[in-house]
Amino acid sequence: MAGRRVFRLEREVDLTAREYGILELLARRRGDVVTRTEISEHLYNDDSELISNAIDVHVASLRRKLGGVLIQTRRGIGYLFDA
């Protein structure tokens, strides 16, 4: 995590700062459901305007880049990283 680098199948994956922030939070809380509110508080400061589906868009992008099985949705609750 210190190098902010992510690898999948021995190849480095380019992530945006927000994608990395989500992945880092989910990985630190692996096995626990992380709510959208927790993700929002982790990524955005109080002055930032949050588009309602921005987190969903970032998670979808992470799934495309890393494979769809690592991040699971708990509908109505949040997301779960299960690596």
Side-chain angles (χ1 to χ4, degrees):
M1 286 192 199
R4 298 183 63 91
R5 297 172 68 192
V6 175
F7 292 85
R8 179 175 185 251
L9 302 175
E10 299 182 17
R11 296 185 67 172
E12 189 166 5
V13 178
D14 289 325
L15 299 180
T16 66
R18 290 201 169 131
E19 290 169 349
Y20 184 85
I22 292 171
L23 183 61
E24 178 184 33
L25 178 62
L26 292 173
R28 288 183 187 275
R29 303 258 315 267
R30 181 174 29 171
D32 294 332
V33 176
V34 180
T35 67
R36 293 171 50 84
T37 301
E38 291 171 314
I39 294 171
S40 177
E41 289 171 356
H42 182 73
L43 292 180
Y44 302 97
N45 62 31
D46 293 336
D47 299 331
S48 175
E49 268 188 45
L50 176 63
I51 300 170
S52 63
N53 68 339
I55 292 170
D56 298 328
V57 170
H58 294 307
V59 170
S61 180
L62 278 169
R63 286 179 172 145
R64 277 192 305 277
K65 293 177 179 182
L66 300 176
V69 297
L70 291 177
I71 301 172
Q72 300 173 8
T73 300
R74 294 296 188 250
R75 205 165 290 286
I77 302 171
Y79 297 98
L80 172 73
F81 183 76
D82 192 26

